[in-house]
Structure formats: C-alpha cells, structure tokens
Amino acid sequence: MKTVALLLFPGVQSLDVSGPMDVFAEANTFLAPDQGYRLVTVGTAPYPIRASNGQRLGADHGLDDAAACFADFDTVLVAGGPELALQADNPQLSAWLRKMAQSVPRYGSICTGAFLLGRAGLLDGKRVTTHWSDAAQLAAQFPLAQVEHDRIHVRDGALVTSAGVTAGIDLALALVAEDHGPAVALAAAKRLLVLAQRQGGQSQFSPYLSDAQAPDALATLIQRYVMEHLAESLSVEHLADVAGMSARNFARQFVREMAVTPAEFVQRARIDAARNLLEGSELALKTVAWRCGFGSAARMRLVFSQRFGVTPAQYRDSFRLCHN
C-alpha cells in the first residue's frame, strides 16, 4: 500500500483536505486491498483544528510523531488556507517540511499550501503553481520559484503543486493515474462525478475583469469601453483617444494601474467574453469569434490553443461534461 499524508493547520481549507482524500479513498474501491492507499492526517496543535469554514478537524499525528513516520509515507500533501499567503514563517513547521522533503518520495501542495513550502525553501528552482489569484504574490515572495500561473497542477521531480481548492482533486486523480494507470483514475472520477482530466488551464475559471473600485479611474473607463466595443478595433491609439491622452502617456499610466499592457488587457477581455458565451450559449463559433473581436473562428481557435491548450470547441465540451 501507499501511504498518503495530508498536513492540516488552523484555518485550513477543508476541501483541500477532503477532496484529495476522497479521490484516494474512491480509488481504493477499484484496487486490491494491499495495493491501495492508506490515508493519514498530520496536524499542528492545538486540537481540534478549526478549518476556515468553521469545521472542526482531527488529526492522526502531530508534527513530532509524524516525523518518526516519514519512512512510511509515500506522499505528503500540504493543504492550503485563505490566510496562508499573509502569514509569517513558522520556523518549526518549515523545519518539519524540509526534513519531510528529504525523506518521502513525493510531496507537494494544494492551492496556497505552496506558501508553506516556499517558506521552507522547497520551491527554489522549481516549476510550481497555486490558485490564480495568489500566483503573483507567490512569485513575488519566492522569486527563485518558476510560478506557472495557468496550470491546474504541475509536477517537477518529487514536487507536485496544484491550483486552487478543487484542483486538489485534479492533482489527486493525476497521482492515482501515475500510480495505477488512467483506468483507475477514470473510475474514481466517475464515482465522484468530476472530469478525470480537465482540459485547459485555470484561467478558464478566473474571470480577468472585475468590478472596478473607483468609477472615475482610467482602468474603469477603459474597461467599460472595451466591454462595450469588443467587436471593434481597439488599438492603443484608439483607447488613448477615448481616455483623452497621448498614446505614450496612456500606455504608461495603464500599465501602472493594471500591471498589464492595454493590448494584453483587450486580449484577456475578449477571451473572458468568449468563455462566457461558450459556457452559456449554443452560438456558432464564428458568431462568438465575431462578437468578441477575434475576427474569425480560426483566430479565436489559435488564441485559445495558445492560452488554454484546447480549442474553443473542446472548451465548450468540457463545460457540457461538467453540467451533465
């Protein structure tokens, strides 16, 4: 059997724990008793551990006695929590994680659990991912890590990391497929009514445009104009005219406010609009492409393939599967 340990702490996201554990537990129903997974939890004191949603969780091991079990662990996964990105380093936990990483064949994180690994120095020089909304902060805090913003999960040697919350399920399914083949992973996915392998990256679940804080800000003005004129040409010069600025000053101020160029902003806005239409309508692909400013279905297909690794048709089919 393979032993999988989940690390818990106060404020942990409960779905980061239960999602992967349910995947491994379902996989056990398709495996011989001596070939499945033994699931254990490791918790930091005090007990019981209260999750971010208020749920109380117990643990099989504390940090000290779990360290004595490292030789028996095959995989250790660090769950995430909504406040982890803002917390200070816990020297005791970081030391435990470093010792763990030297002892187990496979370890990693779910969602913001990557911040705990980063504070332990375990992300340096590694390709990693986390929830899309925390990826920039992860990259800023740990500049030696190669943060991949649009991946559902990433494997780099013994280290595995996943995007936010339900992506822990995707990661667990990938580990089951790695251990026992895709057929077992697919069977477990069917039992849980999830996709065995989601197509595309996590950008498909992270709308780029958000409600603006300041109604008179440059970003608010341009965001509103772009969304109302997606099918038109939206060059930097044209947007600068809308803002009443020179093209150079506009581009400089826009990047300062949005941390992205005007061209990239327009591209992401078009992608978001196309995703919404693909998810919620049966419009022809050429109609979606025209409404969202891509000009042609071929151009939209190229952009989707580059950004998500899937075509617009495959993207739409994935959402149909999720709702069936």
Side-chain angles (χ1 to χ4, degrees):
M1 296 190 73
K2 292 183 179 295
T3 299
V4 177
L6 272 291
L7 177 67
L8 322 181
F9 48 85
V12 69
Q13 183 103 35
S14 63
L15 190 55
D16 285 2
V17 180
S18 60
M21 291 186 76
D22 277 347
V23 169
F24 294 119
E26 289 294 343
N28 281 346
T29 65
F30 302 99
L31 297 168
D34 60 344
Q35 295 179 353
Y37 295 95
R38 185 172 70 93
L39 303 174
V40 299
T41 52
V42 178
T44 61
Y47 301 106
I49 296 167
R50 189 175 290 277
S52 61
N53 63 2
Q55 182 179 3
R56 291 185 175 185
L57 305 174
D60 298 305
H61 299 282
L63 294 181
D64 291 338
D65 59 294
C69 302
F70 282 157
D72 299 324
F73 292 168
D74 297 280
T75 302
V76 175
L77 297 176
V78 179
E83 303 299 324
L84 273 187
L86 304 176
Q87 292 177 0
D89 180 36
N90 179 329
Q92 179 189 11
L93 182 55
S94 291
W96 186 91
L97 288 168
R98 285 191 291 270
K99 183 177 180 181
M100 174 275 299
Q102 296 172 354
S103 306
V104 302
R106 190 168 63 188
Y107 65 93
S109 61
I110 299 154
C111 195
T112 53
F115 285 87
L116 292 180
L117 296 181
R119 290 168 193 143
L122 299 177
L123 301 186
D124 293 354
K126 298 290 188 178
R127 293 183 301 109
V128 301
T129 194
T130 189
H131 192 284
W132 62 269
S133 65
D134 296 294
Q137 189 167 357
L138 186 71
Q141 286 192 28
F142 310 108
L144 297 182
Q146 182 181 331
V147 180
E148 302 196 5
H149 295 235
D150 194 35
R151 295 288 297 277
I152 297 292
H153 52 80
V154 174
R155 177 75 181 262
D156 190 336
L159 174 66
V160 294
T161 54
S162 79
V165 195
T166 58
I169 295 174
D170 297 84
L171 174 60
L173 287 167
L175 296 181
V176 170
E178 182 180 305
D179 294 337
H180 300 287
V184 175
L186 178 59
K190 286 182 176 180
R191 288 283 294 268
L192 295 170
L193 294 179
V194 297
L195 293 175
Q197 183 175 349
R198 268 192 275 193
Q199 299 190 72
Q202 58 174 320
S203 291
Q204 59 189 292
F205 306 105
S206 56
Y208 174 68
L209 300 177
S210 59
D211 293 335
Q213 298 293 321
D216 297 327
L218 174 65
T220 306
L221 171 68
I222 297 304
Q223 175 176 310
R224 185 183 303 117
Y225 184 87
V226 166
M227 295 309 296
E228 292 174 353
H229 300 83
L230 275 180
E232 302 174 14
S233 174
L234 295 170
S235 65
V236 173
E237 291 75 16
H238 181 67
L239 295 178
D241 286 341
V242 172
M245 304 170 65
S246 70
R248 177 177 295 182
N249 287 338
F250 167 76
R252 185 184 300 117
Q253 184 173 334
F254 191 89
V255 170
R256 186 164 56 247
E257 287 192 22
M258 297 296 291
V260 67
T261 66
E264 176 66 11
F265 180 90
V266 170
Q267 181 84 301
R268 294 184 186 184
R270 285 176 166 150
I271 290 171
D272 271 359
R275 286 188 357 237
N276 289 334
L277 290 176
L278 291 170
E279 294 167 21
S281 79
E282 293 298 326
L283 291 172
L285 294 182
K286 63 181 181 180
T287 302
V288 173
W290 180 82
R291 288 191 181 183
C292 299
F294 291 105
S296 68
R299 172 63 183 167
M300 183 171 69
R301 183 166 55 250
L302 176 62
V303 171
F304 265 66
S305 296
Q306 291 174 339
R307 292 296 179 106
F308 303 140
V310 296
T311 67
Q314 290 171 323
Y315 179 86
R316 172 176 273 172
D317 286 343
S318 291
F319 277 86
R320 283 172 176 160
L321 285 170
C322 286
H323 294 301
N324 288 338

